[in-house]
Amino acid sequence: MRPPTWRDYEAIHDVETAAFGREAEAVLAKRVRDEGDALVELVAEENGEIVGHIVFSRMTTQPPERRLAGLAPVAVRPDAQGRGIGDALCRAGIEAVRALGAEAVVVLGDPKYYERFGFSAEAAARIASPYAGNPAFMALELVAGSLAEPVAANYPPAFG
C-alpha cells in the first residue's frame, strides 16, 4: 500500500470503473482529490500494476467539532478480488487516518463487509447526515467516546 502519484490516476480511474461497472465512483474519487478533500488515499499494486484504490475524505461537523473521515470509494480490480486487497486497503487506510488524528470514520456500504473492521450502524446513530437511518450508514470510533454526543457531519462537495 502506498499513496498514489499523478502517474497512477488513469489506472485508478480504470480500477474504480471496472470494480463498480460504472464511472460514478471513479469520478467521485477524482473530484475528492482535485478539490483537496482527500485526507488519505492509497493504492495497492501487484506486479507493477494498480489493482486497488481507497480514499478517505475530510468531513466537516457542526459543534461539537469532531475530526471525522469518510471512507469512499474503495475498489479492487475484478480479476484481483477475493485475495484480501480490499481488506488490506481498508485496514491500512483506517490506521493512516487514525495517525492523522481522526476520531471516527463513516462509511456507506455493505454491513457484512464493513462490520469486520468494527463499523456499525449503532455507532452512526448519533450522526446527523443525509444518509442517517440507512442501515448501510455506519461508523467506527477511533477514539473511544468520540461519537457519544450527537454530531452533524457533512461530506465534501464532491459527494453532492
Side-chain angles (χ1 to χ4, degrees):
M1 305 306 130
R2 65 169 176 80
T5 68
W6 65 269
R7 291 182 180 110
D8 300 320
Y9 296 158
E10 184 177 333
I12 289 169
H13 184 92
D14 293 345
V15 166
E16 294 283 350
T17 301
F20 289 99
R22 61 183 185 207
E23 275 194 301
E25 286 77 9
V27 171
L28 173 63
K30 181 182 184 323
R31 284 193 61 202
V32 167
R33 181 186 317 114
D34 290 351
E35 293 170 6
D37 289 320
L39 185 59
V40 168
E41 184 174 14
L42 299 171
V43 293
E45 280 184 296
E46 283 187 347
N47 302 316
E49 292 185 19
I50 303 298
V51 295
H53 175 251
I54 194 168
V55 177
F56 290 80
S57 301
R58 280 183 191 83
M59 296 185 69
T60 57
T61 62
Q62 268 98 50
E65 297 263 338
R66 293 283 179 257
R67 291 183 307 255
L68 302 183
L71 189 173
V74 59
V76 176
R77 206 171 65 193
D79 65 329
Q81 291 177 2
R83 300 198 311 249
I85 296 168
D87 187 280
L89 282 166
C90 287
R91 292 186 191 285
I94 290 166
E95 288 311 308
V97 295
R98 182 191 312 267
L100 291 174
E103 298 174 71
V105 179
V106 298
V107 68
L108 186 67
D110 180 2
K112 289 181 183 176
Y113 184 79
Y114 289 102
E115 285 172 355
R116 74 178 80 181
F117 307 108
F119 285 92
S120 71
E122 293 78 26
R126 292 172 298 282
I127 301 172
S129 158
Y131 306 110
N134 183 326
F137 184 62
M138 297 170 286
L140 168 65
E141 280 189 329
L142 302 177
V143 174
S146 61
L147 298 176
E149 296 178 30
V151 63
N154 302 304
Y155 281 85
F159 286 83

